[in-house]
Amino acid sequence: MRAQRVWNVTGAASIGQLQSRLDDLNKRLSQLESQHPESWKIDELKSSALSLSREIDDIRCAEATAALRDLLRK
């Protein structure tokens, strides 16, 4: 049996917080790219932004799966 990731889906508040962090990272990235286009920090920030966006997607997918499961049970 393949292991599955288990998410504690806390709803819109969690996604909102993650989205806010992602927005902040994107702002910092934009500023850093304009000031120091060859800075090593740009890659770190891009990696963090990608990780956050994946986390948001995973939560949204888990919520959609749960909603679909509930619909199919009816």
Side-chain angles (χ1 to χ4, degrees):
M1 178 180 232
R2 187 172 176 220
Q4 292 181 348
R5 183 178 284 175
V6 177
W7 293 101
N8 289 333
V9 179
T10 57
S14 168
I15 291 175
Q17 291 169 345
L18 291 173
Q19 187 65 50
S20 178
R21 287 175 46 197
L22 182 58
D23 292 343
D24 290 342
L25 272 174
N26 285 329
K27 285 178 190 174
R28 284 190 286 176
L29 256 172
S30 178
Q31 291 170 348
L32 192 57
E33 285 176 330
S34 67
Q35 295 170 358
H36 307 284
E38 301 188 13
S39 175
W40 57 271
K41 281 219 169 246
I42 291 173
D43 289 334
E44 284 185 12
L45 288 174
K46 284 181 180 179
S47 177
S48 294
L50 284 172
S51 180
L52 277 173
S53 65
R54 284 187 196 112
E55 192 172 344
I56 291 168
D57 287 345
D58 287 344
I59 292 171
R60 286 184 175 149
C61 286
E63 289 176 339
T65 300
L68 180 59
R69 185 177 47 244
D70 290 342
L71 283 173
L72 292 174
R73 283 185 187 159
K74 293 179 180 181

